[in-house]
Amino acid sequence: MIASSSPGILNNDNYQIKILIEENARVYLTTQSYQRLFNMANSASQDINVCIGNNGTLFFVPHPCVPHEASSFSGANNIYLTEKHNLVWSEIITCGRKLSGEEFKFTRFRSVTNIYFNNKLVVKENILLEPLQRKVHALGYLEGYTHQSTLLFISDDVDMDKLSGECNELLSGVEDVIFGISTLPVNGLIFRMLGQKGEKLFDCNNRLAGLIRESISLANKIA
C-alpha cells in the first residue's frame, strides 16, 4: 500500500515515484484512500516510473482521484516490461467533490501512461480533462456520467479472448455503469467504464483484478 502523511496533492507539489518489480516477484499495490488534488494557484505533477523484471507481476489498483475546485494536475506513468510479464494498471477519475457542489470545477487534469516492451512503446493512454474549456457532458465525452475508469491488462500468457468474455459477463451485471472492452496492439485488454460513483468503479476494478488473477494462475498451470 502506498502511504502518505499528506492529505493529498498540494499546489506546486512534484511527486517522483519509482517502482521496481524484481524477477519472479508478484506485487499487488493499492492506496490508503482517495487521492485528493487540492485547490491550486499554480499546478502540481506526479511522475511514476515502473520497471518489471522477467516473469514479474504488478497489479496497481488505486482508489479514485478527486480533483478539487481550481486544481491543475499533470501525471506521467512510464512502465517498462521485459520478456515475461503480467501488468494490471488502473485509474479512476471523479468529477470532484460532487456533494460539496464542486462538480467539474477543477481547471485541468491530465494523465499520460506509456507502456514499453523491450524499450519499444506499445501502448499510450492519454487522458485530458479541461471542464472549464470543454463541455465534458457533450457527445463523445462523458455524456452525463461523472466518473470514469481505465484498466489496462497485459500478459504474455493469458488467453485474452476467453478473459474478455468472462469480464464482459461480470460487468454486464453491474447497474448504473457502462463499459467497453478493447484489445491492445500487444497481448492485452483495456477496460473503460463510466459511472456516477467512485466506490462502485473501484469495486469493479478489484473484481476485474480477481478474474485476471485467476486467468494468470490458470495460464501458469497450463504452461
Side-chain angles (χ1 to χ4, degrees), residues 2 28-35 46 48 59-65 88-93 149-151 198 201-203 205-206:
I2 298 177
Y28 194 104
L29 188 62
T30 187
T31 48
Q32 65 187 42
S33 62
Y34 280 48
Q35 177 65 279
Q46 177 175 276
I48 302 179
F59 281 68
F60 182 56
V61 188
H63 287 79
C65 181
V88 168
W89 189 269
S90 64
E91 182 173 38
I92 299 171
I93 306 163
S149 169
T150 301
L151 186 145
L201 295 182
F202 183 57
D203 178 64
N205 281 349
N206 279 291

Side-chain angles (χ1 to χ4, degrees), residues 6-11 36-40 66 68-72:
S6 172
I9 294 180
L10 305 172
N11 184 47
R36 297 191 177 275
L37 307 176
F38 286 98
N39 181 287
M40 300 173 188
V66 183
H68 288 208
E69 184 174 1
S71 63
S72 179

Side-chain angles (χ1 to χ4, degrees), residues 107-126:
T107 303
R108 189 174 189 265
F109 181 96
R110 187 178 187 188
S111 177
V112 179
T113 299
N114 299 308
I115 301 177
Y116 299 86
F117 176 59
N118 288 334
N119 292 317
K120 178 182 178 181
L121 181 65
V122 292
V123 176
K124 186 180 187 74
E125 171 74 357
N126 188 356

